[in-house]
mmCIF file of all heavy atoms in Angstrom:
data_model
loop_
_atom_site.group_PDB
_atom_site.id
_atom_site.type_symbol
_atom_site.label_atom_id
_atom_site.label_comp_id
_atom_site.label_asym_id
_atom_site.label_seq_id
_atom_site.Cartn_x
_atom_site.Cartn_y
_atom_site.Cartn_z
ATOM 1 N N ALA F 121 -14.579 28.557 -11.252
ATOM 2 C CA ALA F 121 -15.248 28.083 -10.022
ATOM 3 C C ALA F 121 -14.463 28.573 -8.805
ATOM 4 O O ALA F 121 -15.030 29.028 -7.804
ATOM 5 C CB ALA F 121 -15.318 26.556 -10.013
ATOM 6 N N ALA F 122 -13.140 28.533 -8.893
ATOM 7 C CA ALA F 122 -12.318 28.950 -7.763
ATOM 8 C C ALA F 122 -12.495 30.433 -7.502
ATOM 9 O O ALA F 122 -12.635 30.877 -6.349
ATOM 10 C CB ALA F 122 -10.848 28.635 -8.043
ATOM 11 N N LYS F 123 -12.555 31.214 -8.561
ATOM 12 C CA LYS F 123 -12.719 32.663 -8.407
ATOM 13 C C LYS F 123 -14.049 32.968 -7.696
ATOM 14 O O LYS F 123 -14.118 33.795 -6.783
ATOM 15 C CB LYS F 123 -12.683 33.348 -9.778
ATOM 16 C CG LYS F 123 -12.778 34.850 -9.681
ATOM 17 C CD LYS F 123 -12.530 35.528 -11.009
ATOM 18 C CE LYS F 123 -12.783 37.027 -10.851
ATOM 19 N NZ LYS F 123 -12.689 37.766 -12.091
ATOM 20 N N GLU F 124 -15.061 32.265 -8.098
ATOM 21 C CA GLU F 124 -16.385 32.460 -7.457
ATOM 22 C C GLU F 124 -16.301 32.180 -5.959
ATOM 23 O O GLU F 124 -16.819 32.924 -5.131
ATOM 24 C CB GLU F 124 -17.352 31.493 -8.117
ATOM 25 C CG GLU F 124 -18.799 31.886 -8.003
ATOM 26 C CD GLU F 124 -19.662 30.854 -8.712
ATOM 27 O OE1 GLU F 124 -19.456 30.622 -9.924
ATOM 28 O OE2 GLU F 124 -20.482 30.228 -8.016
ATOM 29 N N LYS F 125 -15.596 31.098 -5.611
ATOM 30 C CA LYS F 125 -15.438 30.746 -4.184
ATOM 31 C C LYS F 125 -14.675 31.832 -3.453
ATOM 32 O O LYS F 125 -15.042 32.254 -2.359
ATOM 33 C CB LYS F 125 -14.665 29.424 -4.042
ATOM 34 C CG LYS F 125 -15.387 28.236 -4.566
ATOM 35 C CD LYS F 125 -16.512 27.878 -3.654
ATOM 36 C CE LYS F 125 -17.305 26.684 -4.152
ATOM 37 N NZ LYS F 125 -18.604 26.558 -3.487
ATOM 38 N N VAL F 126 -13.582 32.289 -4.057
ATOM 39 C CA VAL F 126 -12.736 33.282 -3.374
ATOM 40 C C VAL F 126 -13.510 34.583 -3.199
ATOM 41 O O VAL F 126 -13.472 35.200 -2.128
ATOM 42 C CB VAL F 126 -11.428 33.539 -4.156
ATOM 43 C CG1 VAL F 126 -10.592 34.584 -3.436
ATOM 44 C CG2 VAL F 126 -10.626 32.249 -4.300
ATOM 45 N N LEU F 127 -14.266 34.984 -4.224
ATOM 46 C CA LEU F 127 -15.006 36.240 -4.109
ATOM 47 C C LEU F 127 -15.993 36.186 -2.951
ATOM 48 O O LEU F 127 -16.227 37.196 -2.256
ATOM 49 C CB LEU F 127 -15.718 36.568 -5.421
ATOM 50 C CG LEU F 127 -14.780 36.974 -6.565
ATOM 51 C CD1 LEU F 127 -15.580 37.269 -7.848
ATOM 52 C CD2 LEU F 127 -13.927 38.191 -6.206
ATOM 53 N N LYS F 128 -16.549 35.027 -2.732
ATOM 54 C CA LYS F 128 -17.475 34.882 -1.589
ATOM 55 C C LYS F 128 -16.721 34.955 -0.260
ATOM 56 O O LYS F 128 -17.237 35.449 0.737
ATOM 57 C CB LYS F 128 -18.178 33.519 -1.678
ATOM 58 C CG LYS F 128 -19.647 33.647 -2.034
ATOM 59 C CD LYS F 128 -20.339 32.320 -2.099
ATOM 60 C CE LYS F 128 -20.764 31.783 -0.731
ATOM 61 N NZ LYS F 128 -21.320 30.437 -0.823
ATOM 62 N N LEU F 129 -15.502 34.439 -0.290
ATOM 63 C CA LEU F 129 -14.741 34.401 0.976
ATOM 64 C C LEU F 129 -14.077 35.737 1.318
ATOM 65 O O LEU F 129 -13.822 36.022 2.495
ATOM 66 C CB LEU F 129 -13.646 33.317 0.882
ATOM 67 C CG LEU F 129 -14.110 31.872 1.078
ATOM 68 C CD1 LEU F 129 -12.993 30.902 0.667
ATOM 69 C CD2 LEU F 129 -14.517 31.600 2.529
ATOM 70 N N LEU F 130 -13.774 36.563 0.316
ATOM 71 C CA LEU F 130 -12.976 37.776 0.576
ATOM 72 C C LEU F 130 -13.516 38.651 1.722
ATOM 73 O O LEU F 130 -12.750 39.010 2.621
ATOM 74 C CB LEU F 130 -12.825 38.611 -0.704
ATOM 75 C CG LEU F 130 -11.798 38.095 -1.726
ATOM 76 C CD1 LEU F 130 -11.721 39.029 -2.920
ATOM 77 C CD2 LEU F 130 -10.419 37.919 -1.105
ATOM 78 N N PRO F 131 -14.812 39.009 1.719
ATOM 79 C CA PRO F 131 -15.282 39.861 2.829
ATOM 80 C C PRO F 131 -15.135 39.175 4.178
ATOM 81 O O PRO F 131 -14.893 39.816 5.201
ATOM 82 C CB PRO F 131 -16.743 40.132 2.500
ATOM 83 C CG PRO F 131 -17.117 39.217 1.398
ATOM 84 C CD PRO F 131 -15.870 38.749 0.723
ATOM 85 N N ARG F 132 -15.270 37.855 4.178
ATOM 86 C CA ARG F 132 -15.154 37.116 5.457
ATOM 87 C C ARG F 132 -13.713 37.077 5.949
ATOM 88 O O ARG F 132 -13.441 37.210 7.128
ATOM 89 C CB ARG F 132 -15.671 35.693 5.274
ATOM 90 C CG ARG F 132 -17.126 35.704 4.887
ATOM 91 C CD ARG F 132 -17.640 34.354 4.552
ATOM 92 N NE ARG F 132 -18.954 34.534 3.956
ATOM 93 C CZ ARG F 132 -19.753 33.550 3.649
ATOM 94 N NH1 ARG F 132 -19.390 32.319 3.859
ATOM 95 N NH2 ARG F 132 -20.926 33.792 3.127
ATOM 96 N N LEU F 133 -12.816 36.866 4.997
ATOM 97 C CA LEU F 133 -11.397 36.851 5.364
ATOM 98 C C LEU F 133 -10.975 38.222 5.874
ATOM 99 O O LEU F 133 -10.296 38.353 6.891
ATOM 100 C CB LEU F 133 -10.533 36.453 4.158
ATOM 101 C CG LEU F 133 -10.701 35.010 3.671
ATOM 102 C CD1 LEU F 133 -10.077 34.815 2.292
ATOM 103 C CD2 LEU F 133 -10.065 34.024 4.674
ATOM 104 N N PHE F 134 -11.451 39.251 5.198
ATOM 105 C CA PHE F 134 -11.092 40.611 5.621
ATOM 106 C C PHE F 134 -11.639 40.890 7.032
ATOM 107 O O PHE F 134 -10.937 41.427 7.882
ATOM 108 C CB PHE F 134 -11.617 41.659 4.622
ATOM 109 C CG PHE F 134 -11.229 43.053 5.002
ATOM 110 C CD1 PHE F 134 -9.957 43.524 4.729
ATOM 111 C CD2 PHE F 134 -12.130 43.886 5.665
ATOM 112 C CE1 PHE F 134 -9.577 44.817 5.099
ATOM 113 C CE2 PHE F 134 -11.761 45.169 6.051
ATOM 114 C CZ PHE F 134 -10.473 45.639 5.770
ATOM 115 N N ALA F 135 -12.888 40.483 7.268
ATOM 116 C CA ALA F 135 -13.482 40.706 8.594
ATOM 117 C C ALA F 135 -12.693 39.963 9.681
ATOM 118 O O ALA F 135 -12.524 40.464 10.803
ATOM 119 C CB ALA F 135 -14.941 40.242 8.593
ATOM 120 N N TYR F 136 -12.200 38.807 9.332
ATOM 121 C CA TYR F 136 -11.404 37.998 10.293
ATOM 122 C C TYR F 136 -10.094 38.728 10.629
ATOM 123 O O TYR F 136 -9.742 38.923 11.791
ATOM 124 C CB TYR F 136 -11.140 36.625 9.672
ATOM 125 C CG TYR F 136 -10.436 35.617 10.562
ATOM 126 C CD1 TYR F 136 -10.502 35.672 11.949
ATOM 127 C CD2 TYR F 136 -9.719 34.569 9.983
ATOM 128 C CE1 TYR F 136 -9.853 34.726 12.731
ATOM 129 C CE2 TYR F 136 -9.092 33.606 10.771
ATOM 130 C CZ TYR F 136 -9.145 33.693 12.135
ATOM 131 O OH TYR F 136 -8.510 32.753 12.902
ATOM 132 N N HIS F 137 -9.405 39.175 9.592
ATOM 133 C CA HIS F 137 -8.137 39.880 9.839
ATOM 134 C C HIS F 137 -8.396 41.164 10.606
ATOM 135 O O HIS F 137 -7.622 41.542 11.494
ATOM 136 C CB HIS F 137 -7.454 40.218 8.511
ATOM 137 C CG HIS F 137 -6.919 39.018 7.770
ATOM 138 N ND1 HIS F 137 -5.767 39.048 7.035
ATOM 139 C CD2 HIS F 137 -7.379 37.743 7.642
ATOM 140 C CE1 HIS F 137 -5.542 37.859 6.475
ATOM 141 N NE2 HIS F 137 -6.525 37.048 6.829
ATOM 142 N N LYS F 138 -9.478 41.852 10.258
ATOM 143 C CA LYS F 138 -9.789 43.139 10.909
ATOM 144 C C LYS F 138 -10.067 42.915 12.394
ATOM 145 O O LYS F 138 -9.675 43.695 13.251
ATOM 146 C CB LYS F 138 -11.006 43.776 10.215
ATOM 147 C CG LYS F 138 -11.330 45.171 10.702
ATOM 148 C CD LYS F 138 -12.269 45.847 9.721
ATOM 149 C CE LYS F 138 -12.949 47.090 10.282
ATOM 150 N NZ LYS F 138 -12.227 47.894 11.220
ATOM 151 N N TRP F 139 -10.755 41.812 12.661
ATOM 152 C CA TRP F 139 -11.020 41.479 14.071
ATOM 153 C C TRP F 139 -9.694 41.323 14.831
ATOM 154 O O TRP F 139 -9.527 41.866 15.916
ATOM 155 C CB TRP F 139 -11.844 40.189 14.150
ATOM 156 C CG TRP F 139 -11.978 39.684 15.545
ATOM 157 C CD1 TRP F 139 -12.872 40.108 16.506
ATOM 158 C CD2 TRP F 139 -11.143 38.693 16.181
ATOM 159 N NE1 TRP F 139 -12.651 39.440 17.680
ATOM 160 C CE2 TRP F 139 -11.608 38.557 17.520
ATOM 161 C CE3 TRP F 139 -10.079 37.895 15.760
ATOM 162 C CZ2 TRP F 139 -11.028 37.674 18.426
ATOM 163 C CZ3 TRP F 139 -9.501 37.014 16.655
ATOM 164 C CH2 TRP F 139 -9.972 36.906 17.974
ATOM 165 N N TYR F 140 -8.736 40.628 14.219
ATOM 166 C CA TYR F 140 -7.426 40.473 14.886
ATOM 167 C C TYR F 140 -6.781 41.841 15.123
ATOM 168 O O TYR F 140 -6.318 42.164 16.215
ATOM 169 C CB TYR F 140 -6.474 39.608 14.056
ATOM 170 C CG TYR F 140 -6.359 38.192 14.585
ATOM 171 C CD1 TYR F 140 -6.813 37.094 13.861
ATOM 172 C CD2 TYR F 140 -5.797 37.960 15.840
ATOM 173 C CE1 TYR F 140 -6.699 35.810 14.371
ATOM 174 C CE2 TYR F 140 -5.679 36.669 16.348
ATOM 175 C CZ TYR F 140 -6.132 35.605 15.604
ATOM 176 O OH TYR F 140 -6.034 34.339 16.119
ATOM 177 N N HIS F 141 -6.742 42.669 14.089
ATOM 178 C CA HIS F 141 -6.045 43.948 14.198
ATOM 179 C C HIS F 141 -6.748 44.923 15.135
ATOM 180 O O HIS F 141 -6.081 45.698 15.828
ATOM 181 C CB HIS F 141 -5.869 44.580 12.813
ATOM 182 C CG HIS F 141 -4.848 43.866 11.970
ATOM 183 N ND1 HIS F 141 -3.496 43.944 12.201
ATOM 184 C CD2 HIS F 141 -4.987 43.027 10.913
ATOM 185 C CE1 HIS F 141 -2.841 43.213 11.315
ATOM 186 N NE2 HIS F 141 -3.718 42.648 10.507
ATOM 187 N N ASP F 142 -8.072 44.910 15.152
ATOM 188 C CA ASP F 142 -8.805 45.892 15.967
ATOM 189 C C ASP F 142 -9.065 45.387 17.386
ATOM 190 O O ASP F 142 -8.779 46.072 18.371
ATOM 191 C CB ASP F 142 -10.155 46.237 15.340
ATOM 192 C CG ASP F 142 -9.967 47.066 14.070
ATOM 193 O OD1 ASP F 142 -8.832 47.490 13.796
ATOM 194 O OD2 ASP F 142 -10.975 47.269 13.363
ATOM 195 N N VAL F 143 -9.598 44.177 17.478
ATOM 196 C CA VAL F 143 -10.036 43.678 18.785
ATOM 197 C C VAL F 143 -8.853 43.145 19.594
ATOM 198 O O VAL F 143 -8.797 43.306 20.816
ATOM 199 C CB VAL F 143 -11.112 42.588 18.592
ATOM 200 C CG1 VAL F 143 -11.509 41.971 19.926
ATOM 201 C CG2 VAL F 143 -12.326 43.183 17.900
ATOM 202 N N ARG F 144 -7.887 42.554 18.932
ATOM 203 C CA ARG F 144 -6.761 41.964 19.645
ATOM 204 C C ARG F 144 -5.541 42.887 19.692
ATOM 205 O O ARG F 144 -4.487 42.498 20.162
ATOM 206 C CB ARG F 144 -6.432 40.618 19.049
ATOM 207 C CG ARG F 144 -7.514 39.581 19.324
ATOM 208 C CD ARG F 144 -7.918 39.557 20.807
ATOM 209 N NE ARG F 144 -8.891 38.532 21.100
ATOM 210 C CZ ARG F 144 -8.584 37.244 21.272
ATOM 211 N NH1 ARG F 144 -7.347 36.868 21.166
ATOM 212 N NH2 ARG F 144 -9.512 36.370 21.553
ATOM 213 N N ASP F 145 -5.729 44.099 19.162
ATOM 214 C CA ASP F 145 -4.657 45.118 19.268
ATOM 215 C C ASP F 145 -5.353 46.478 19.316
ATOM 216 O O ASP F 145 -5.170 47.313 18.421
ATOM 217 C CB ASP F 145 -3.724 45.001 18.036
ATOM 218 C CG ASP F 145 -2.588 46.020 18.076
ATOM 219 O OD1 ASP F 145 -2.316 46.567 19.171
ATOM 220 O OD2 ASP F 145 -1.996 46.283 17.006
ATOM 221 N N PRO F 146 -6.160 46.681 20.373
ATOM 222 C CA PRO F 146 -7.013 47.883 20.385
ATOM 223 C C PRO F 146 -6.232 49.186 20.350
ATOM 224 O O PRO F 146 -6.748 50.191 19.893
ATOM 225 C CB PRO F 146 -7.813 47.736 21.683
ATOM 226 C CG PRO F 146 -7.204 46.643 22.463
ATOM 227 C CD PRO F 146 -6.364 45.818 21.548
ATOM 228 N N MET F 147 -4.968 49.172 20.790
ATOM 229 C CA MET F 147 -4.187 50.416 20.769
ATOM 230 C C MET F 147 -3.401 50.544 19.446
ATOM 231 O O MET F 147 -2.594 51.459 19.289
ATOM 232 C CB MET F 147 -3.175 50.448 21.936
ATOM 233 C CG MET F 147 -3.761 50.153 23.292
ATOM 234 S SD MET F 147 -4.884 51.430 23.801
ATOM 235 C CE MET F 147 -3.705 52.625 24.362
ATOM 236 N N HIS F 148 -3.612 49.590 18.546
ATOM 237 C CA HIS F 148 -2.910 49.608 17.244
ATOM 238 C C HIS F 148 -1.394 49.731 17.382
ATOM 239 O O HIS F 148 -0.764 50.642 16.832
ATOM 240 C CB HIS F 148 -3.505 50.680 16.327
ATOM 241 C CG HIS F 148 -4.935 50.382 16.009
ATOM 242 N ND1 HIS F 148 -5.314 49.372 15.158
ATOM 243 C CD2 HIS F 148 -6.091 50.901 16.479
ATOM 244 C CE1 HIS F 148 -6.623 49.294 15.097
ATOM 245 N NE2 HIS F 148 -7.123 50.211 15.917
ATOM 246 N N THR F 149 -0.832 48.775 18.093
ATOM 247 C CA THR F 149 0.615 48.760 18.317
ATOM 248 C C THR F 149 1.327 47.926 17.245
ATOM 249 O O THR F 149 2.564 47.917 17.181
ATOM 250 C CB THR F 149 0.939 48.088 19.668
ATOM 251 O OG1 THR F 149 0.486 46.720 19.608
ATOM 252 C CG2 THR F 149 0.253 48.779 20.832
ATOM 253 N N GLY F 150 0.552 47.162 16.471
ATOM 254 C CA GLY F 150 1.178 46.276 15.483
ATOM 255 C C GLY F 150 1.406 44.867 16.029
ATOM 256 O O GLY F 150 1.833 43.982 15.296
ATOM 257 N N VAL F 151 1.101 44.664 17.321
ATOM 258 C CA VAL F 151 1.229 43.323 17.917
ATOM 259 C C VAL F 151 -0.162 42.870 18.359
ATOM 260 O O VAL F 151 -0.778 43.535 19.211
ATOM 261 C CB VAL F 151 2.151 43.335 19.157
ATOM 262 C CG1 VAL F 151 2.202 41.966 19.817
ATOM 263 C CG2 VAL F 151 3.560 43.794 18.753
ATOM 264 N N VAL F 152 -0.684 41.779 17.799
ATOM 265 C CA VAL F 152 -1.995 41.278 18.241
ATOM 266 C C VAL F 152 -1.792 40.279 19.370
ATOM 267 O O VAL F 152 -0.799 39.552 19.394
ATOM 268 C CB VAL F 152 -2.799 40.645 17.079
ATOM 269 C CG1 VAL F 152 -2.992 41.627 15.937
ATOM 270 C CG2 VAL F 152 -2.160 39.353 16.571
ATOM 271 N N SER F 153 -2.737 40.264 20.296
ATOM 272 C CA SER F 153 -2.597 39.362 21.459
ATOM 273 C C SER F 153 -3.481 38.128 21.346
ATOM 274 O O SER F 153 -4.608 38.210 20.857
ATOM 275 C CB SER F 153 -3.061 40.081 22.737
ATOM 276 O OG SER F 153 -2.126 41.017 23.146
ATOM 277 N N ILE F 154 -2.952 37.043 21.856
ATOM 278 C CA ILE F 154 -3.825 35.904 22.144
ATOM 279 C C ILE F 154 -4.210 36.017 23.609
ATOM 280 O O ILE F 154 -3.446 36.527 24.422
ATOM 281 C CB ILE F 154 -3.148 34.540 21.851
ATOM 282 C CG1 ILE F 154 -1.817 34.374 22.637
ATOM 283 C CG2 ILE F 154 -2.891 34.365 20.361
ATOM 284 C CD1 ILE F 154 -1.257 32.963 22.605
ATOM 285 N N LEU F 155 -5.423 35.563 23.936
ATOM 286 C CA LEU F 155 -5.888 35.667 25.320
ATOM 287 C C LEU F 155 -5.920 34.293 25.990
ATOM 288 O O LEU F 155 -6.373 34.167 27.124
ATOM 289 C CB LEU F 155 -7.283 36.306 25.380
ATOM 290 C CG LEU F 155 -7.427 37.684 24.718
ATOM 291 C CD1 LEU F 155 -8.797 38.290 24.983
ATOM 292 C CD2 LEU F 155 -6.332 38.642 25.163
ATOM 293 N N HIS F 156 -5.486 33.305 25.264
ATOM 294 C CA HIS F 156 -5.468 31.938 25.801
ATOM 295 C C HIS F 156 -4.413 31.162 25.018
ATOM 296 O O HIS F 156 -4.317 31.337 23.793
ATOM 297 C CB HIS F 156 -6.862 31.300 25.619
ATOM 298 C CG HIS F 156 -7.049 30.053 26.419
ATOM 299 N ND1 HIS F 156 -6.315 28.906 26.194
ATOM 300 C CD2 HIS F 156 -7.872 29.771 27.456
ATOM 301 C CE1 HIS F 156 -6.697 27.981 27.064
ATOM 302 N NE2 HIS F 156 -7.637 28.477 27.848
ATOM 303 N N PRO F 157 -3.609 30.316 25.698
ATOM 304 C CA PRO F 157 -2.596 29.543 24.973
ATOM 305 C C PRO F 157 -3.175 28.757 23.796
ATOM 306 O O PRO F 157 -2.499 28.579 22.781
ATOM 307 C CB PRO F 157 -2.045 28.587 26.031
ATOM 308 C CG PRO F 157 -2.239 29.311 27.318
ATOM 309 C CD PRO F 157 -3.528 30.088 27.151
ATOM 310 N N TRP F 158 -4.417 28.295 23.905
ATOM 311 C CA TRP F 158 -5.006 27.493 22.827
ATOM 312 C C TRP F 158 -5.115 28.296 21.538
ATOM 313 O O TRP F 158 -5.235 27.734 20.452
ATOM 314 C CB TRP F 158 -6.376 26.933 23.235
ATOM 315 C CG TRP F 158 -6.260 25.932 24.361
ATOM 316 C CD1 TRP F 158 -5.131 25.317 24.782
ATOM 317 C CD2 TRP F 158 -7.315 25.466 25.201
ATOM 318 N NE1 TRP F 158 -5.419 24.481 25.836
ATOM 319 C CE2 TRP F 158 -6.741 24.557 26.120
ATOM 320 C CE3 TRP F 158 -8.691 25.715 25.282
ATOM 321 C CZ2 TRP F 158 -7.487 23.890 27.094
ATOM 322 C CZ3 TRP F 158 -9.449 25.056 26.251
ATOM 323 C CH2 TRP F 158 -8.855 24.154 27.144
ATOM 324 N N GLU F 159 -5.108 29.624 21.656
ATOM 325 C CA GLU F 159 -5.233 30.442 20.441
ATOM 326 C C GLU F 159 -3.957 30.420 19.609
ATOM 327 O O GLU F 159 -3.983 30.811 18.440
ATOM 328 C CB GLU F 159 -5.579 31.888 20.808
ATOM 329 C CG GLU F 159 -6.897 31.995 21.534
ATOM 330 C CD GLU F 159 -7.511 33.376 21.472
ATOM 331 O OE1 GLU F 159 -6.925 34.315 22.023
ATOM 332 O OE2 GLU F 159 -8.599 33.513 20.876
ATOM 333 N N SER F 160 -2.858 30.020 20.211
ATOM 334 C CA SER F 160 -1.583 29.977 19.477
ATOM 335 C C SER F 160 -1.520 28.752 18.577
ATOM 336 O O SER F 160 -0.665 28.674 17.703
ATOM 337 C CB SER F 160 -0.411 29.903 20.464
ATOM 338 O OG SER F 160 -0.432 28.638 21.100
ATOM 339 N N GLY F 161 -2.370 27.754 18.854
ATOM 340 C CA GLY F 161 -2.262 26.469 18.148
ATOM 341 C C GLY F 161 -1.126 25.628 18.708
ATOM 342 O O GLY F 161 -0.995 24.461 18.409
ATOM 343 N N ARG F 162 -0.277 26.238 19.555
ATOM 344 C CA ARG F 162 0.826 25.510 20.198
ATOM 345 C C ARG F 162 0.480 25.431 21.678
ATOM 346 O O ARG F 162 1.172 25.948 22.550
ATOM 347 C CB ARG F 162 2.157 26.251 19.983
ATOM 348 C CG ARG F 162 2.473 26.479 18.504
ATOM 349 C CD ARG F 162 3.784 27.202 18.273
ATOM 350 N NE ARG F 162 3.780 28.537 18.843
ATOM 351 C CZ ARG F 162 4.598 28.947 19.831
ATOM 352 N NH1 ARG F 162 5.476 28.127 20.355
ATOM 353 N NH2 ARG F 162 4.516 30.188 20.294
ATOM 354 N N ASP F 163 -0.624 24.745 21.898
ATOM 355 C CA ASP F 163 -1.359 24.854 23.154
ATOM 356 C C ASP F 163 -0.530 24.771 24.433
ATOM 357 O O ASP F 163 -0.709 25.536 25.353
ATOM 358 C CB ASP F 163 -2.441 23.759 23.217
ATOM 359 C CG ASP F 163 -3.410 23.843 22.057
ATOM 360 O OD1 ASP F 163 -3.049 24.380 20.993
ATOM 361 O OD2 ASP F 163 -4.538 23.368 22.209
ATOM 362 N N ASN F 164 0.345 23.784 24.483
ATOM 363 C CA ASN F 164 1.009 23.483 25.755
ATOM 364 C C ASN F 164 2.479 23.914 25.749
ATOM 365 O O ASN F 164 3.290 23.386 26.490
ATOM 366 C CB ASN F 164 0.894 21.958 25.977
ATOM 367 C CG ASN F 164 1.272 21.518 27.351
ATOM 368 O OD1 ASN F 164 0.896 22.132 28.333
ATOM 369 N ND2 ASN F 164 2.050 20.446 27.446
#
Side-chain angles (χ1 to χ4, degrees):
K123 183 172 174 185
E124 202 180 302
K125 293 288 178 196
V126 179
L127 289 180
K128 250 181 82 185
L129 282 168
L130 283 181
R132 298 173 190 187
L133 292 166
F134 182 79
Y136 185 26
H137 291 215
K138 186 165 165 33
W139 172 82
Y140 257 115
H141 288 288
D142 289 351
V143 175
R144 291 311 184 79
D145 180 18
M147 310 293 280
H148 296 288
T149 62
V151 176
V152 303
S153 286
I154 57 168
L155 304 187
H156 194 295
W158 294 345
E159 299 201 295
S160 69
R162 303 180 298 117
D163 301 25
N164 192 43

